[in-house]
Amino acid sequence: MTLAAAAGCGQASAGQSTQTAHKAVTVGLAYDIGGRGDKSFNDAAAAGLERAKTGLDVQIKELEALQDENDEARYERLKLLCGAGYQAVVAVGFVYAGEDPTKGPLARAARDCPNTKFAAVDVDTVHAPNLTNLVFADDQGSFLMGAVAALKSRTGRVGFVGGCDLPLIKRFEVGYEAGVKAVRADTAVDVKYLSTPARACSGFINPKAGQAAAARMYAGGADVVYHAAGGSGLGVFRAAKASGKWALGVDSDQYQLVPPELRDVILTSMIKRVDTAVFEFIKSVSEGKFTAGTVTFGLQTKGVEYATSGGKVDDIKSQLDGLKQQLTEGKIVIPGGAAG
């Protein structure tokens, strides 16, 4: 299923005047590590909840994740929500798949609560009749970030900081490097991951580590650094500010979210429309139109985009839009990339 199909749920066809009725629905949302206030991934999910509060008849319960928690704790969080009678439950982040997706928190909760409708953001390894997988073409959006980095770099060296060494975050890295090389093949790309799954992916909530990693890159000659590191991205922006260099945001339009003194270092952000995904899932449940399976949000359907806040990419917008068009038409293919 595509974003266009998901977004079309409940809309009247041409010539129809009746609107689909929305029923009251109770919604539970389980955050990823960092929770509300990370100014990135989790806050994007929270924005979807806020939109549902405004446009739909919903009652909402939000639960935070804890640092260093295990799969059992994540399962208990999901089970608490569905066991309390919440009709729709959203699991935000790959951590809910667990070490073994067939026996992990999400799979167990979906089996134990068959009447609850689940959605999992960034999880496509767990499947159930009552589960919608909300996934994104992260590599496509990251390709555009790589193009920005190469077009704006004066040194011919750029960087990438990942929060955790995972296949999901590797997609960001691969897309970013592909975008860099497509624009300027001789550009060097420095890469640093802040943590591993063995360390509970703590690199998503460690701004000091993000700042240190980016500072080393800037000191080594990089003048643009892209992060896919959740809350640790704030440290990347601080390093850019201290070095007088550029940074690229992720997941949300981070120019709009960071402290004002850091805005001038952000060239643009790769926006991942987690807010749209969460809202459309809730709406589908409220309309009685829930559908299990994978929904992919990509460039073609505006599921991933680049931000224009601050005007720092206005001078290269035509080039970025040209690359975006080539990606959506399949004229540029990212190795191992997603479609959508």
Side-chain angles (χ1 to χ4, degrees):
M1 186 185 298
T2 65
L3 174 60
C9 290
Q11 295 180 347
S13 60
Q16 291 180 325
S17 59
T18 58
Q19 294 184 347
T20 301
H22 295 99
K23 297 180 180 179
V25 60
T26 53
V27 181
L29 190 140
Y31 285 109
D32 198 353
I33 299 169
R36 263 193 190 254
D38 70 348
K39 303 188 185 304
S40 183
F41 182 65
N42 287 291
D43 276 354
L49 278 189
E50 295 303 325
R51 185 177 167 192
K53 287 180 183 179
T54 301
L56 303 171
D57 184 3
V58 297
Q59 295 181 19
I60 290 172
K61 176 72 173 179
E62 303 170 58
L63 295 179
E64 300 281 344
L66 301 176
Q67 187 175 359
D68 299 326
E69 67 182 12
N70 57 23
D71 278 0
E72 187 63 27
R74 297 181 187 108
Y75 164 74
E76 290 296 339
R77 183 177 304 112
L78 297 178
K79 187 64 165 58
L80 179 65
L81 290 170
C82 66
Y86 286 89
Q87 298 159 291
V89 173
V90 183
V92 182
F94 66 90
V95 293
Y96 289 97
E99 294 182 11
D100 180 352
T102 64
K103 302 176 182 178
L106 186 58
R108 288 176 62 192
R111 284 195 297 265
D112 292 348
C113 301
N115 296 322
T116 301
K117 308 303 183 187
F118 287 87
V121 180
D122 273 348
V123 176
D124 199 24
T125 55
V126 181
H127 301 280
N130 56 335
L131 171 64
T132 296
N133 306 87
L134 306 173
V135 299
F136 298 82
D138 309 294
D139 55 330
Q140 293 183 346
S142 296
F143 182 99
L144 295 181
M145 295 301 99
V148 170
L151 288 166
K152 291 290 187 176
S153 177
R154 296 179 179 178
T155 64
R157 180 175 290 275
V158 301
F160 173 82
V161 175
C164 192
D165 192 353
L166 292 162
L168 171 65
I169 306 303
K170 284 285 187 183
R171 286 210 307 268
F172 288 82
E173 179 199 337
V174 168
Y176 178 66
E177 187 161 1
V180 168
K181 299 298 184 180
V183 170
R184 189 172 166 187
D186 61 347
T187 302
V189 183
D190 299 327
V191 176
K192 174 66 177 179
Y193 284 90
L194 303 179
S195 63
T196 65
R199 292 176 53 202
C201 288
S202 58
F204 288 118
I205 51 172
N206 192 340
K208 289 184 178 179
Q211 184 169 354
R216 286 192 292 271
M217 291 179 180
Y218 292 129
D223 56 354
V224 184
V225 174
Y226 175 44
H227 87 87
S232 299
L234 191 62
V236 174
F237 300 145
R238 288 172 179 157
K241 183 72 173 181
S243 303
K245 304 292 176 61
W246 297 113
L248 298 163
V250 78
D251 294 332
S252 300
D253 183 354
Q254 294 199 284
Y255 180 93
Q256 301 290 348
L257 298 175
V258 299
E261 65 271 16
L262 296 179
R263 289 176 182 168
D264 61 344
V265 306
I266 301 177
L267 285 169
T268 181
S269 299
M270 192 275 276
I271 301 176
K272 188 169 170 177
R273 299 315 302 249
V274 177
D275 57 336
T276 298
V278 169
F279 174 79
E280 292 297 340
F281 163 70
I282 296 171
K283 183 158 76 84
S284 75
V285 176
S286 74
E287 294 175 349
K289 294 186 176 182
F290 167 85
T291 303
T294 299
V295 183
T296 300
F297 299 76
L299 281 174
Q300 188 171 10
T301 52
K302 298 183 179 180
V304 294
E305 305 175 74
Y306 69 90
T308 58
S309 297
K312 295 182 179 63
V313 295
D314 289 354
D315 59 325
I316 58 172
K317 189 175 186 303
S318 61
Q319 291 160 281
L320 295 178
D321 289 344
L323 291 169
K324 179 179 175 180
Q325 186 66 28
Q326 290 181 65
L327 283 164
T328 58
E329 292 176 353
K331 294 178 180 178
I332 294 177
V333 178
I334 302 168

